Amino acid sequence: MGRLRGQERILKVEAALTACPACGKTNRVPAQAAGRPRCGNCKAELPWIVSAGDADFAAVAEQSPVPVLVDFWAAWCGPCRMVSPVLDKLARERPGRIKLVKVDVDKSPRLSRRFDVQAIPTLMVMVDGRVAARQAGAAPAEVLRSWLDGALAGTRQ
Protein backbone atom coordinates (compact mmCIF):
# COMPACT_ATOMS: atom_id res chain seq x y z
CA MET A 1 0.00 0.00 0.00
CA GLY A 2 2.93 2.33 0.60
CA ARG A 3 6.19 2.84 -1.23
CA LEU A 4 9.63 3.98 -0.17
CA ARG A 5 11.11 7.24 -1.39
CA GLY A 6 14.58 7.73 0.04
CA GLN A 7 14.18 6.93 3.73
CA GLU A 8 10.54 8.09 3.90
CA ARG A 9 7.56 5.79 3.59
CA ILE A 10 4.83 7.43 1.53
CA LEU A 11 1.41 5.99 2.32
CA LYS A 12 -1.28 5.77 -0.30
CA VAL A 13 -4.35 6.87 1.65
CA GLU A 14 -7.53 6.52 -0.36
CA ALA A 15 -10.36 9.02 -0.53
CA ALA A 16 -14.02 8.02 -0.68
CA LEU A 17 -16.87 9.71 -2.52
CA THR A 18 -19.69 10.66 -0.16
CA ALA A 19 -23.02 12.33 -0.86
CA CYS A 20 -23.78 15.24 1.46
CA PRO A 21 -26.85 14.41 3.59
CA ALA A 22 -27.86 18.09 3.57
CA CYS A 23 -27.60 19.08 -0.10
CA GLY A 24 -26.89 15.83 -1.96
CA LYS A 25 -23.64 16.99 -3.60
CA THR A 26 -20.88 14.39 -3.98
CA ASN A 27 -17.70 15.13 -2.03
CA ARG A 28 -14.30 13.50 -1.93
CA VAL A 29 -13.64 12.56 1.72
CA PRO A 30 -10.03 11.64 2.57
CA ALA A 31 -9.30 8.66 4.79
CA GLN A 32 -6.95 10.84 6.82
CA ALA A 33 -7.38 14.53 7.66
CA ALA A 34 -6.57 16.92 10.49
CA GLY A 35 -10.14 18.24 10.69
CA ARG A 36 -13.62 16.93 10.11
CA PRO A 37 -14.91 16.52 6.55
CA ARG A 38 -17.37 19.16 5.39
CA CYS A 39 -19.37 19.53 2.21
CA GLY A 40 -17.64 21.76 -0.32
CA ASN A 41 -21.03 23.11 -1.37
CA CYS A 42 -23.07 23.77 1.79
CA LYS A 43 -20.37 23.26 4.49
CA ALA A 44 -22.43 20.63 6.39
CA GLU A 45 -20.44 17.97 8.22
CA LEU A 46 -20.14 14.73 6.23
CA PRO A 47 -20.25 11.10 7.34
CA TRP A 48 -16.71 9.70 7.50
CA ILE A 49 -16.62 6.07 6.39
CA VAL A 50 -13.27 4.65 5.24
CA SER A 51 -11.21 1.47 5.08
CA ALA A 52 -7.80 0.91 6.63
CA GLY A 53 -5.25 -1.87 6.82
CA ASP A 54 -1.95 -2.81 8.38
CA ALA A 55 -0.02 -0.08 6.55
CA ASP A 56 -2.28 2.92 7.17
CA PHE A 57 -4.29 2.16 10.34
CA ALA A 58 -2.17 4.43 12.54
CA ALA A 59 -2.67 7.41 10.23
CA VAL A 60 -6.33 6.73 9.48
CA ALA A 61 -7.66 5.60 12.87
CA GLU A 62 -5.22 6.25 15.69
CA GLN A 63 -4.51 9.83 14.65
CA SER A 64 -8.14 10.71 13.95
CA PRO A 65 -9.41 14.06 15.27
CA VAL A 66 -12.76 12.42 16.17
CA PRO A 67 -13.62 9.15 17.95
CA VAL A 68 -13.31 6.13 15.67
CA LEU A 69 -15.65 3.16 15.38
CA VAL A 70 -13.49 0.30 14.08
CA ASP A 71 -15.20 -2.65 12.38
CA PHE A 72 -13.04 -5.78 12.06
CA TRP A 73 -14.80 -7.86 9.41
CA ALA A 74 -14.34 -10.37 6.55
CA ALA A 75 -16.14 -10.74 3.23
CA TRP A 76 -17.04 -14.39 3.94
CA CYS A 77 -18.60 -13.58 7.36
CA GLY A 78 -22.41 -13.57 7.33
CA PRO A 79 -22.82 -11.68 10.64
CA CYS A 80 -20.32 -9.08 9.37
CA ARG A 81 -22.48 -8.50 6.29
CA MET A 82 -25.54 -8.07 8.54
CA VAL A 83 -23.83 -5.56 10.87
CA SER A 84 -22.12 -3.49 8.17
CA PRO A 85 -25.22 -1.56 6.98
CA VAL A 86 -26.13 -0.80 10.60
CA LEU A 87 -22.66 0.63 11.24
CA ASP A 88 -22.87 2.70 8.04
CA LYS A 89 -26.23 4.07 9.22
CA LEU A 90 -24.83 4.91 12.68
CA ALA A 91 -21.92 6.79 11.06
CA ARG A 92 -24.32 8.67 8.75
CA GLU A 93 -26.48 9.64 11.75
CA ARG A 94 -23.41 11.16 13.48
CA PRO A 95 -21.56 13.21 10.84
CA GLY A 96 -18.58 15.00 12.36
CA ARG A 97 -18.88 13.04 15.62
CA ILE A 98 -17.41 9.68 14.58
CA LYS A 99 -15.31 8.10 11.88
CA LEU A 100 -16.15 4.54 10.80
CA VAL A 101 -13.01 2.61 9.87
CA LYS A 102 -13.47 -0.83 8.31
CA VAL A 103 -10.63 -3.34 8.64
CA ASP A 104 -10.72 -6.54 6.57
CA VAL A 105 -9.12 -9.14 8.86
CA ASP A 106 -8.03 -11.29 5.90
CA LYS A 107 -6.05 -8.39 4.41
CA SER A 108 -4.77 -7.05 7.76
CA PRO A 109 -3.47 -9.94 9.87
CA ARG A 110 -1.09 -7.77 11.92
CA LEU A 111 -3.96 -5.56 13.13
CA SER A 112 -6.03 -8.63 13.95
CA ARG A 113 -3.18 -9.98 16.10
CA ARG A 114 -2.39 -6.59 17.65
CA PHE A 115 -5.98 -6.10 18.84
CA ASP A 116 -6.43 -9.81 19.65
CA VAL A 117 -9.43 -10.22 17.34
CA GLN A 118 -10.73 -13.72 18.04
CA ALA A 119 -14.23 -13.39 16.54
CA ILE A 120 -15.73 -11.26 13.83
CA PRO A 121 -17.28 -8.89 13.66
CA THR A 122 -15.33 -7.20 16.43
CA LEU A 123 -16.12 -3.55 17.04
CA MET A 124 -14.01 -1.03 18.91
CA VAL A 125 -14.39 2.63 19.76
CA MET A 126 -11.04 4.42 19.79
CA VAL A 127 -10.51 7.85 21.31
CA ASP A 128 -7.15 9.60 20.94
CA GLY A 129 -5.63 6.36 19.64
CA ARG A 130 -6.72 4.23 22.61
CA VAL A 131 -9.46 1.62 22.81
CA ALA A 132 -12.36 3.04 24.86
CA ALA A 133 -14.91 0.25 24.23
CA ARG A 134 -14.97 -3.14 22.54
CA GLN A 135 -17.64 -5.63 21.49
CA ALA A 136 -17.41 -8.95 19.65
CA GLY A 137 -20.20 -10.50 17.61
CA ALA A 138 -23.23 -9.25 15.76
CA ALA A 139 -25.96 -7.44 17.65
CA PRO A 140 -29.28 -5.83 16.71
CA ALA A 141 -29.25 -2.21 15.55
CA GLU A 142 -30.65 -0.80 18.81
CA VAL A 143 -28.07 -2.67 20.89
CA LEU A 144 -25.25 -1.34 18.69
CA ARG A 145 -26.70 2.19 18.85
CA SER A 146 -26.87 2.06 22.67
CA TRP A 147 -23.36 0.59 22.92
CA LEU A 148 -21.92 3.27 20.63
CA ASP A 149 -23.73 6.12 22.38
CA GLY A 150 -22.53 4.82 25.75
CA ALA A 151 -18.95 4.62 24.51
CA LEU A 152 -19.15 8.16 23.08
CA ALA A 153 -20.83 9.64 26.16
CA GLY A 154 -17.54 10.44 27.87
CA THR A 155 -15.90 11.80 24.69
CA ARG A 156 -18.05 14.81 23.80
CA GLN A 157 -16.04 17.09 21.56
Side-chain angles (χ1 to χ4, degrees):
M1 185 165 264
R3 67 181 194 277
L4 294 177
R5 182 192 295 173
Q7 294 295 80
E8 297 177 21
R9 182 174 176 96
I10 308 297
L11 292 177
K12 181 181 176 192
V13 180
E14 300 292 326
L17 296 178
T18 301
C20 175
C23 72
K25 294 288 184 176
T26 301
N27 292 264
R28 186 174 305 278
V29 177
Q32 174 190 8
R36 299 166 189 214
R38 293 187 176 274
C39 178
N41 184 55
C42 72
K43 308 304 182 218
E45 290 187 343
L46 295 171
W48 208 352
I49 302 170
V50 298
S51 295
D54 287 336
D56 60 354
F57 185 81
V60 173
E62 293 174 300
Q63 298 169 13
S64 174
V66 297
V68 177
L69 173 57
V70 182
D71 174 20
F72 287 95
W73 68 282
W76 50 264
C77 169
C80 297
R81 290 193 307 268
M82 289 174 29
V83 167
S84 184
V86 173
L87 299 178
D88 287 357
K89 183 176 183 193
L90 292 173
R92 291 181 195 291
E93 290 172 352
R94 293 158 179 80
R97 289 189 44 220
I98 67 166
K99 179 181 196 177
L100 174 57
V101 176
K102 299 181 179 202
V103 177
D104 184 333
V105 296
D106 291 332
K107 295 178 182 176
S108 305
R110 288 188 321 217
L111 284 173
S112 299
R113 282 191 301 275
R114 177 179 164 201
F115 290 105
D116 196 28
V117 174
Q118 300 294 318
I120 52 174
T122 291
L123 308 175
M124 296 186 324
V125 174
M126 297 185 81
V127 180
D128 297 325
R130 292 184 302 278
V131 177
R134 182 180 174 120
Q135 175 172 313
E142 286 309 312
V143 172
L144 291 175
R145 180 175 279 109
S146 295
W147 172 78
L148 178 59
D149 288 342
L152 295 174
T155 64
R156 297 286 179 221
Q157 308 242 332

